[in-house]
Amino acid sequence: LHRCLGAVVLDDHRTRFCVWAPAHEKLEIELIGQSRRVAMDRLASGHHTVVVDGVGQGDQYFVRLPGGESRPDPVSRSQPLGVHGPSEVIDHHFPWSDQDWQIGEPEDQIIYELHLGTFTDEGTFSAAIDRLDELVDLGVTAIELMPVAQCPGKWNWGYDGVNLFAPNHNYGPPSEMRKLVDAAHDKGLAVILDVVYNHFGPEGNYLGEYGSYLSSRHTTPWGAAPNLDDPDHADQIRRFVVANAIYWLDEFHIDGLRVDAIHCIRDDSDPHIAEEISDAAERWSMVTGRKSLLVAESNVYDPEMTISRDDHGIGFDAQWCDDFLHSVSAVLRPGEHHCHRSYEPGSDLDQTLRMGFVYEGTLRDQRGRRPPGPRID
């Protein structure tokens, strides 16, 4: 689906636009700098499509709603002026040199979490390339990029993204992100990307104006929840999320995804969206011959997360569990609480080091403290 939605360059002078906007009967593509608007055709599915001549790489556009509002494309590949500005047509073709690259086994990865805005003075994809040798010398085998989806402002951790398909313009154009991944692979470094599917940021979030992208049943402390379990419209939103996951693997050669706060993805469906992401990544790997790594950030240990799909688990390769962080904090800063779970100084750190975790739960079951037991992998 990622190859169909948004603006897809067909050749040097033609681009196809496709927008899912079931709330509207008519949409237009408003071409910036060309002083023209092109009407789109509405399909029964709620998708609006049109092929436009004279449009290609670098051209900017808005989607114009029936009320006259000009909005970014929900599947914009680039927002060069930020979350409120026009979208940019991007040709995904790139001269990759990593055809023989494969990520190593999960247990062999030494992962360096990297925020592009603070990793270098320039804070760009391009500048990060010049420091990769330092990470190799350090013994790192994989870099984990904190979220790059377009979010408001310049200085941002990235966890309130609203344009999930558009690399943050502050870090550079999409082509520079591809250069970073290609250069990392050339030096033997895998690249994992932090992705956020449990909420959208509040500023610049125009998705609700297009249709039922946002949930009316679930809320989150950070912003609107994706509409993943509505009986009428959730199928398309689920496809939207899965398409984004595969988009990074396919078009940017990302080796794996770290799914943020997976326990906060509000989804009462069966299967859970995490299972669909797992299935899609497995299918993509089988088709392309390239392995992919899935890491879940879970606030507690989830025994189902790393069980295979064949054995009725979620099928992720690893999980990031908060118990070590909070157990250390309880020793260093006793009496302070950084989450709703309580941690005991000393004993919880001892249990975490010996066993791997203190609290346990699944995506559907209540999460609670567990007595000491055998160490988990």
Side-chain angles (χ1 to χ4, degrees):
L1 188 62
H2 67 282
R3 296 177 181 174
C4 300
L5 291 175
V8 178
V9 176
L10 301 179
D11 55 43
D12 291 343
H13 303 289
R14 287 194 313 153
T15 297
R16 183 184 67 237
F17 296 88
C18 181
V19 177
W20 188 67
H24 303 292
E25 292 300 318
K26 297 181 180 180
L27 291 182
E28 293 178 320
I29 296 299
E30 179 181 351
L31 298 165
I32 307 303
Q34 297 191 22
S35 300
R36 63 171 173 147
R37 300 200 297 265
V38 182
M40 306 184 76
D41 297 319
R42 190 186 195 280
L43 307 179
S45 62
H47 291 87
H48 298 248
T49 67
V50 66
V51 175
V52 184
D53 293 331
V55 176
Q57 165 71 29
D59 287 328
Q60 296 182 9
Y61 68 98
F62 279 114
V63 179
R64 189 174 177 87
L65 304 183
E69 304 90 347
S70 297
R71 299 298 188 224
D73 188 335
V75 188
S76 169
R77 265 54 168 201
S78 175
Q79 289 293 121
L81 299 180
V83 297
H84 304 292
S87 302
E88 182 181 21
V89 177
I90 297 294
D91 188 341
H92 75 273
H93 293 96
F94 181 80
W96 293 100
S97 63
D98 64 351
Q99 287 78 7
D100 297 327
W101 167 260
Q102 285 281 5
I103 187 173
E105 295 301 318
E107 58 267 25
D108 295 331
Q109 302 307 315
I110 300 173
I111 301 173
Y112 182 97
E113 186 181 30
L114 191 158
H115 181 264
L116 281 156
T118 58
F119 185 59
T120 63
D121 291 338
E122 298 86 352
T124 63
F125 296 121
S126 181
I129 294 174
D130 296 331
R131 296 199 62 191
L132 294 178
D133 285 334
E134 299 175 49
L135 300 180
V136 173
D137 292 341
L138 186 63
V140 169
T141 65
I143 55 175
E144 179 183 291
L145 302 179
M146 293 175 70
V148 301
Q150 184 68 55
C151 54
K154 182 175 183 181
W155 310 115
N156 200 309
W157 289 118
Y159 291 95
D160 54 349
V162 292
N163 304 112
L164 298 193
F165 292 76
N168 193 317
H169 77 283
N170 293 298
Y171 301 151
S175 60
E176 295 298 315
M177 182 175 173
R178 292 183 170 96
K179 287 181 182 178
L180 172 59
V181 176
D182 202 42
H185 289 167
D186 182 60
K187 296 180 183 296
L189 293 169
V191 183
I192 300 167
L193 180 64
D194 197 338
V195 291
V196 182
Y197 299 136
N198 60 82
H199 71 280
F200 296 107
E203 183 181 346
N205 183 4
Y206 298 109
L207 292 172
E209 297 184 22
Y210 285 96
S212 303
Y213 283 82
L214 310 179
S215 177
S216 60
R217 303 175 58 193
H218 305 294
T219 59
T220 80
W222 307 275
N227 181 17
L228 298 172
D229 53 14
D230 176 82
D232 296 322
H233 300 291
D235 284 352
Q236 293 297 340
I237 309 306
R238 297 171 77 86
R239 295 183 70 203
F240 174 85
V241 169
V242 171
N244 181 256
I246 302 303
Y247 164 74
W248 295 114
L249 302 178
D250 192 48
E251 294 195 7
F252 287 83
H253 288 203
I254 294 295
D255 298 293
L257 304 174
R258 182 262 197 192
V259 181
D260 178 68
I262 203 165
H263 55 283
C264 292
I265 298 180
R266 308 302 183 198
D267 181 13
D268 295 332
S269 304
D270 188 12
H272 190 279
I273 188 65
E275 297 172 72
E276 290 200 12
I277 292 172
S278 179
D279 290 340
E282 176 65 21
R283 288 194 300 269
W284 178 85
S285 291
M286 291 179 62
V287 169
T288 62
R290 283 180 47 208
K291 294 184 292 185
S292 59
L293 180 73
L294 292 179
V295 181
E297 185 211 8
S298 177
N299 65 346
V300 303
Y301 170 63
D302 184 339
E304 296 181 355
M305 190 59 61
T306 53
I307 294 176
S308 71
R309 294 289 290 123
D310 290 340
D311 292 326
H312 309 292
I314 307 300
F316 275 51
D317 298 284
Q319 55 189 308
W320 167 318
C321 180
D322 287 345
D323 281 348
F324 176 74
L325 161 71
H326 293 301
S327 296
V328 171
S329 295
V331 172
L332 300 179
R333 313 273 301 187
E336 294 186 8
H337 298 283
H338 302 285
C339 71
H340 65 279
R341 300 182 303 282
S342 62
Y343 288 85
E344 302 299 326
S347 60
D348 282 352
L349 179 56
D350 179 76
Q351 177 173 331
T352 302
L353 291 172
R354 294 178 184 274
M355 182 179 170
F357 69 96
V358 175
Y359 286 87
E360 178 184 301
T362 70
L363 292 176
R364 305 205 185 272
D365 294 338
Q366 183 66 35
R367 310 160 100 70
R369 181 179 284 271
R370 293 294 182 265
R375 183 169 184 81
I376 54 93
D377 182 358

